[in-house]
Amino acid sequence: MRAKEACYIISFHTTADAIAFEKKAGSIGFPGRLIPLPRAISAGCGMSWKLPKKDAPEQIQEVLASFAINYEQVHEL
């Protein structure tokens, strides 16, 4: 069994927002990947962006604002 690592989860209101975020994140090399929303979080569309805590930029909110994409919340797991 793999050890769980601390991470950030960004949840979205809609699937369209999640996919738009994935495209923009890929274009700038933003770390992470699109995953199904973990059961521990009950939110939005069921898709989320998983971002390793060790690789996470300190200014996640600035990156999110620069993308101009609606997101629901940044969760810390």
Side-chain angles (χ1 to χ4, degrees):
M1 182 179 253
R2 281 196 309 188
K4 293 186 179 183
E5 294 182 20
C7 65
Y8 292 110
I9 300 291
I10 302 170
S11 58
F12 299 94
H13 293 286
T14 67
T15 302
D17 290 334
I19 292 171
F21 183 88
E22 179 182 37
K23 286 182 182 179
K24 287 192 175 195
S27 72
I28 67 163
F30 190 71
R33 64 189 173 101
L34 205 55
I35 64 165
L37 191 66
R39 289 185 190 166
I41 302 170
S42 124
C45 72
M47 295 184 82
S48 61
W49 187 262
K50 182 178 181 180
L51 181 65
K53 215 171 188 185
K54 64 180 179 174
D55 296 331
E58 291 180 22
Q59 304 300 325
I60 293 174
Q61 296 297 334
E62 288 180 23
V63 172
L64 289 168
S66 72
F67 284 1
I69 293 174
N70 293 326
Y71 67 96
E72 195 164 83
Q73 189 173 355
V74 177
H75 308 268
E76 192 173 334
L77 294 181

